[in-house]
């Protein structure tokens, strides 16, 4: 998440876009699919209505969501709701906000699917982006994957492949993005391990209302430089080609 204000929930990636109640119905921007991932195992694309039930299923897993305490439906957990229980209608409302923000260049929400079968296995993308034209434009990258893949030990390899593709797309295709940021709770050992050991990032810890949050970031220069973030991720993916990991 972009460290813009301590009044904002650090782990709730729903971007809020003001709309005029008298405005015509919203038409989402065109559906996009990112170029093939490094190992060609995954497809990253924008969300479709047919995804909503599966995304809700992933969000309803307490293990997957244990480090994302700020995540909530757009209307929040009202008194008539069970906190943590997502419905496909919640995902639909969330996606509409994300797509409105995408139309303004302020977000890019994606799903992760197996390239071979089309099975949806997670979500990723940019929860918040500074508007196009902002000097040093920042984009906040995140990922949530199916808990069964996490428990099987496959998260790091899938995360590396997905986040490599999302980073490459941001620096090469999104107008003016100069820095990618990530945030997770300090006790999230999986995400912190990926950020520090795989990507080679240095954490910046800060205390927020929601607990200890680890911030990470890498600039275009850190991505492109020899031995930098891109090279580290691609070296990891090259090793996976001959590894015994099968997921």
């Amino acid at each position: 998440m972009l460290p813009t204000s301590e009044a904002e929930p650090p782990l709730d990636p729903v971007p809020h876009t003001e709309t005029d109640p008298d405005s015509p119905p919203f038409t989402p921007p065109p559906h996009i699919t990112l170029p093939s991932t490094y190992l060609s195992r995954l497809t990253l694309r924008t969300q479709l209505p047919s995804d909503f039930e599966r995304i809700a299923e992933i969000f309803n897993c307490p293990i997957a969501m244990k480090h994302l305490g700020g995540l909530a439906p757009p209307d929040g957990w009202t008194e008539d709701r069970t906190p943590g229980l997502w419905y496909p209608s919640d995902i639909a409302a969330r996606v509409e906000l994300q797509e409105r923000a995408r139309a303004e260049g302020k977000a890019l929400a994606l799903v992760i699917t197996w390239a071979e079968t089309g099975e949806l296995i997670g979500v990723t993308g940019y929860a918040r982006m500074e508007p196009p034209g902002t000097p040093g434009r920042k984009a906040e990258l995140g990922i949530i994957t199916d808990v069964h893949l996490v428990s099987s030990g496959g998260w790091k390899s899938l995360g590396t492949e997905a986040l490599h593709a999302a980073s490459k797309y941001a620096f090469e295709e999104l107008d003016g993005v100069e820095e990618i940021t990530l945030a997770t709770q300090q006790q999230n050992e999986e995400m912190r391990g990926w950020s520090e050991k795989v990507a080679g990032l240095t954490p910046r810890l800060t205390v927020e209302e929601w607990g200890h949050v680890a911030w990470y970031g890498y600039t275009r220069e850190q991505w492109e430089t020899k031995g930098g973030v891109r090279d580290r991720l691609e070296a990891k993916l090259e090793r996976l080609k001959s590894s015994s990991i099968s997921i």
Side-chain angles (χ1 to χ4, degrees), residues 99-121:
E99 288 295 273
R100 288 181 181 275
R102 179 162 76 98
E104 298 176 358
K106 296 180 181 178
L108 175 60
L110 303 164
V111 294
I112 309 166
T113 69
W114 287 121
E116 195 169 318
T117 65
E119 179 188 4
L120 196 156
I121 58 176

Side-chain angles (χ1 to χ4, degrees), residues 7 41 102 109 140 153 227:
R41 297 182 302 173
R102 179 162 76 98
E140 176 199 338

Side-chain angles (χ1 to χ4, degrees), residues 1-5 7-17 70-71 94 98 101-102 105-109 124-131 137-142 170 174 177 179-182 210 215:
M1 163 167 288
L2 301 178
T4 55
S5 168
E8 297 176 353
L11 298 175
D12 184 354
V14 177
H16 297 286
T17 303
L71 195 69
R94 173 184 169 85
Q98 291 172 326
R102 179 162 76 98
K106 296 180 181 178
L108 175 60
T124 188
Y126 296 94
R128 300 175 194 265
M129 295 191 293
E130 293 179 330
R137 187 183 182 198
K138 296 181 178 67
E140 176 199 338
L141 180 59
L174 296 180
V177 170
E179 183 175 358
I180 292 173
T181 64
L182 306 94
W210 295 269
W215 296 98

Side-chain angles (χ1 to χ4, degrees), residues 24-247:
F26 172 66
T27 300
H31 179 71
I32 63 170
T33 299
L34 272 58
S36 179
T37 59
Y38 194 86
L39 297 180
S40 301
R41 297 182 302 173
L42 306 175
T43 296
L44 275 61
R45 59 169 175 78
T46 48
Q47 302 160 109
L48 298 170
S50 56
D51 300 326
F52 297 167
E53 185 173 352
R54 176 70 175 125
I55 295 172
E57 189 177 293
I58 292 173
F59 280 20
N60 280 332
C61 176
I63 299 175
M65 304 307 293
K66 67 180 179 179
H67 299 305
L68 295 167
L71 195 69
D75 292 335
W77 301 115
T78 54
E79 292 183 0
D80 60 330
R81 296 290 304 274
T82 301
L85 181 60
W86 290 76
Y87 295 96
S89 58
D90 297 324
I91 303 300
R94 173 184 169 85
V95 169
E96 180 176 344
L97 287 178
Q98 291 172 326
E99 288 295 273
R100 288 181 181 275
R102 179 162 76 98
E104 298 176 358
K106 296 180 181 178
L108 175 60
L110 303 164
V111 294
I112 309 166
T113 69
W114 287 121
E116 195 169 318
T117 65
E119 179 188 4
L120 196 156
I121 58 176
V123 296
T124 188
Y126 296 94
R128 300 175 194 265
M129 295 191 293
E130 293 179 330
T134 302
R137 187 183 182 198
K138 296 181 178 67
E140 176 199 338
L141 180 59
I143 185 169
I144 305 171
T145 55
D146 185 302
V147 67
H148 301 297
L149 300 177
V150 177
S151 61
S152 72
W155 185 91
K156 290 180 182 178
S157 60
L158 288 178
T160 299
E161 189 169 0
L163 297 185
H164 172 274
S167 299
K168 187 173 187 293
Y169 187 81
F171 286 129
E172 294 182 2
E173 303 294 338
L174 296 180
D175 182 32
V177 170
E178 292 294 331
E179 183 175 358
I180 292 173
T181 64
L182 306 94
T184 189
Q185 291 184 355
Q186 188 174 351
Q187 64 269 33
N188 187 346
E189 296 180 2
E190 292 90 352
M191 188 62 175
R192 294 196 63 192
W194 182 90
S195 300
E196 296 168 24
K197 297 175 184 177
V198 179
L201 305 177
T202 301
R204 296 171 289 173
L205 300 182
T206 182
V207 178
E208 302 281 357
E209 180 182 346
W210 295 269
H212 294 270
V213 177
W215 296 98
Y216 299 89
Y218 46 103
T219 63
R220 177 186 296 274
E221 181 180 1
Q222 290 172 309
W223 171 258
E224 295 177 346
T225 190
K226 185 176 181 180
V229 176
R230 179 175 58 190
D231 285 356
R232 290 180 65 97
L233 299 188
E234 291 180 0
K236 168 71 172 178
L237 293 169
E238 285 292 330
R239 290 193 295 271
L240 285 171
K241 285 184 177 180
S242 57
S243 75
S244 60
I245 294 179
S246 176
I247 50 178

